[in-house]
Amino acid sequence: MVKAIVGANWGDEGKGKMTDMLACNADIVIRFQGGANAGHTIVNDYGKFALHTLPSGVFNSNTTNIIGNGVALNIPVFFNELKEVVSRDVPMPKILISDRCQIVMPYHIAFDEYEEERLGKSSFGSTKSGIAPFYSDKYAKIGIQVQELFDEKSLREHLERIAPQKNVILEHLYHKPALDIDALMETLKEYKEMVEPYVCDVSLYLDNAIKEGKEILLEGQLGTLKDPDHGIYPMVTSSSTLASYGAIGTGIPPYEIKQIVTVCKAYSSAVGAGAFVSEIFGEEADELRRRGGDGGEYGATTGRPRRMGWFDCVASKYGCRLQGTTDVAFTVLDVLGYLEKIPVCVGYEIDGEVTTDFPTTVKLEKAKPVLKVLDGWMCDIRGIKTYEELPENCRKYIEFCEEQIGYPITYVSNGPKREDIIKRKSALK
Ligand code: GDP
């Protein structure tokens, strides 16, 4: 059976932990989009890890970890991460890389930096991992697929076709040195040697795995609101963050994705620019940021402080709907235990009217949060194993949020560790 794990919001919802937990029973964990621009934090018996490109199944020696064709593959980052994991006593994981996956080139990273530099104050807050230039090239049909590494002659010809276009921009827009094709060929030769043992026709591999009844997990990065079509465009990422893209980014039929676990954090956080209706500021935000996640809400990739806000029912309802959610995993609930009163955003007021439907970007910029204040539970809920044992106000909080978003919360995460999870029967399911 194929399951997807995706985010409902802006990312950083705790997908890594959920994937790590569900990966225990998975034969295959596969990344289908995104690149090294975001990270998952995973805490397990081996320690605490920030993974950027490795699938979260790398800690289970029975799991095959796959980089799907939809991923922006930064080869040195990938292998450094693999080296780091193995150096910390994790057994060498089983890895496969799609032959159709495209490669993040050194010039993609350079272009990302140059563009942010050029935009200055009005920049997108890119992580400068080359993701936007990478996907631009992919859809402009000048990207480089992994399989091209194995034919040097045609690879050089391809680079020679790409270079004049890049060089015009490098010289005239950014005033930087032109591409050096010989140096690029050397780099790509090294890349080839690194990936060679792992390259695979992934969609064929998955077709067989599905026929054999294998448990397959599609691992999403970021969340619905960062989707280029359905998110807060243009403050989005460059590849689709939706479960439905899991079919495209891996090469499987869409109807094979039977379960979609959408991870939703019990409060909000976001990195980068863009409208964030339930955002809070000052001491209120600082305290939640300090207490948030596992050791504070700071970007797993960048270390940047995350923007903080209350749980946003409007954005989460939309986020879950676009994912095609079958199950919601409601995470990081334990963090809210210090609050006497917990505001929740239940509507957006736009030009004097209140809506619970998530609007397009121009309207979103004008939205003001409509807050409802719930009672807190004022205690530590870590270590609690069953839903019934949770304090009444905590259950009320979960049930209120569930009713607002309209999708069943079947997992409640009350701590960063794999075992900090409460399974729950939802009335909605
Ligand atoms: P992802 O990109 O969606 O995987 O999210 P991140 O890993 O960037 O951020 C989630 C953070 O919250 C990490 O530091 C996790 O270890 C932590 N985390 C996940 N679930 C829980 C939870 O239920 N409680 C607490 N306190 N931390 C959690």
Side-chain angles (χ1 to χ4, degrees):
M1 181 167 110
V2 184
K3 288 181 195 171
I5 301 200
V6 286
N9 308 119
W10 297 264
D12 308 318
E13 299 94 346
K15 291 178 297 297
K17 176 207 153 154
M18 287 303 300
T19 319
D20 181 53
M21 191 202 97
L22 294 170
C24 301
N25 304 315
D27 298 302
I28 295 168
V29 177
I30 173 161
R31 294 275 309 254
F32 62 89
Q33 47 95 210
N37 54 330
H40 290 316
T41 312
I42 293 179
V43 186
N44 58 27
D45 294 344
Y46 296 105
K48 182 172 177 175
F49 296 86
L51 300 186
H52 306 290
T53 61
L54 288 182
S56 300
V58 290
F59 303 103
N60 301 303
S61 42
N62 296 329
T63 306
T64 301
N65 293 277
I66 304 185
I67 297 295
N69 54 278
V71 169
L73 178 61
N74 183 322
I75 293 174
V77 169
F78 181 88
F79 284 97
N80 279 338
E81 220 170 280
L82 187 59
K83 219 160 82 190
E84 144 107 33
V85 165
V86 173
S87 77
R88 289 174 61 190
D89 296 334
V90 177
M92 177 63 190
K94 286 188 240 169
I95 303 276
L96 294 174
I97 295 173
S98 165
D99 51 4
R100 292 176 179 274
C101 182
Q102 296 201 6
I103 301 164
V104 176
M105 298 291 285
Y107 55 79
H108 289 139
I109 296 163
F111 270 79
D112 211 348
E113 283 169 7
Y114 300 158
E115 184 60 11
E116 286 284 299
E117 203 178 293
R118 188 182 75 83
L119 289 172
K121 264 208 186 117
S122 52
S123 79
F124 287 80
S126 162
T127 58
K128 299 180 189 147
S129 316
I131 301 302
F134 166 93
Y135 281 107
S136 305
D137 278 5
K138 176 170 176 175
Y139 293 107
K141 298 173 286 188
I142 53 169
I144 293 179
Q145 285 189 334
V146 163
Q147 49 91 12
E148 289 185 67
L149 296 175
F150 298 90
D151 186 331
E152 238 179 82
K153 185 166 165 286
S154 72
L155 182 60
R156 180 177 275 276
E157 283 166 9
H158 194 174
L159 285 178
E160 278 164 358
R161 281 199 308 279
I162 295 168
Q165 193 188 359
K166 298 283 174 211
N167 288 342
V168 170
I169 302 174
L170 283 169
E171 188 185 342
H172 297 288
L173 187 64
Y174 300 131
H175 312 294
K176 301 284 181 187
L179 296 185
D180 177 342
I181 293 185
D182 288 334
L184 280 173
M185 283 300 292
E186 273 309 303
T187 303
L188 291 179
K189 213 167 138 192
E190 286 168 23
Y191 286 4
K192 179 192 143 211
E193 278 153 23
M194 289 157 114
V195 296
E196 199 159 14
Y198 309 106
V199 176
C200 166
D201 179 343
V202 164
S203 77
L204 184 63
Y205 180 88
L206 291 176
D207 187 52
N208 286 326
I210 291 170
K211 284 180 183 141
E212 287 166 11
K214 293 271 163 60
E215 281 292 324
I216 301 171
L217 262 193
L218 306 177
E219 178 177 13
Q221 186 207 42
L222 297 168
T224 305
L225 303 177
K226 292 284 185 182
D227 184 74
D229 284 84
H230 297 284
I232 51 171
Y233 189 85
M235 300 302 179
V236 292
T237 193
S238 304
S239 66
S240 176
T241 55
L242 302 184
S244 43
Y245 191 76
I248 298 164
T250 61
I252 62 167
Y255 54 75
E256 290 295 348
I257 306 173
K258 306 288 188 210
Q259 190 185 8
I260 298 171
V261 180
T262 303
V263 184
C264 213
K265 192 149 71 176
Y267 55 89
S268 301
S269 73
V271 281
F276 182 7
V277 178
S278 68
E279 186 166 11
I280 53 174
F281 303 91
E283 183 43 39
E284 198 177 36
D286 287 345
E287 175 144 41
L288 185 54
R289 184 179 302 111
R290 260 197 318 274
R291 291 172 176 270
D294 179 30
E297 289 283 358
Y298 302 92
T301 301
T302 57
R304 288 188 287 195
R306 292 177 179 148
R307 297 164 67 193
M308 306 304 298
W310 301 125
F311 185 71
D312 184 335
C313 300
V314 178
S316 302
K317 178 175 78 163
Y318 176 80
C320 287
R321 175 164 66 82
L322 269 293
Q323 293 291 6
T325 303
T326 60
D327 296 81
V328 176
F330 200 53
T331 58
V332 207
L333 189 62
D334 50 303
V335 162
L336 299 179
Y338 73 98
L339 289 160
E340 211 171 310
K341 297 280 176 193
I342 314 177
V344 175
C345 175
V346 292
Y348 290 176
E349 191 192 314
I350 304 168
D351 295 330
E353 282 189 33
V354 174
T355 181
T356 61
D357 291 322
F358 194 76
T360 49
T361 310
V362 177
K363 285 189 182 162
L364 185 67
E365 298 285 352
K366 295 197 256 176
K368 294 187 186 65
V370 177
L371 298 175
K372 183 177 163 75
V373 179
L374 304 187
D375 291 326
W377 45 93
M378 299 294 292
C379 67
D380 185 4
I381 58 164
R382 281 200 196 182
I384 292 180
K385 298 284 174 210
T386 66
Y387 189 68
E388 291 65 35
E389 285 169 272
L390 286 172
E392 189 185 358
N393 284 348
C394 181
R395 279 182 277 130
K396 279 189 176 156
Y397 184 81
I398 297 166
E399 286 157 29
F400 180 81
C401 294
E402 179 182 60
E403 191 193 309
Q404 294 285 311
I405 60 179
Y407 291 88
I409 295 177
T410 52
Y411 297 97
V412 174
S413 174
N414 59 336
K417 298 212 184 83
R418 202 185 261 182
E419 59 275 13
D420 295 329
I421 195 86
I422 298 171
K423 288 200 186 123
R424 162 174 186 263
K425 273 214 157 55
S426 163
L428 297 180
K429 198 178 180 183

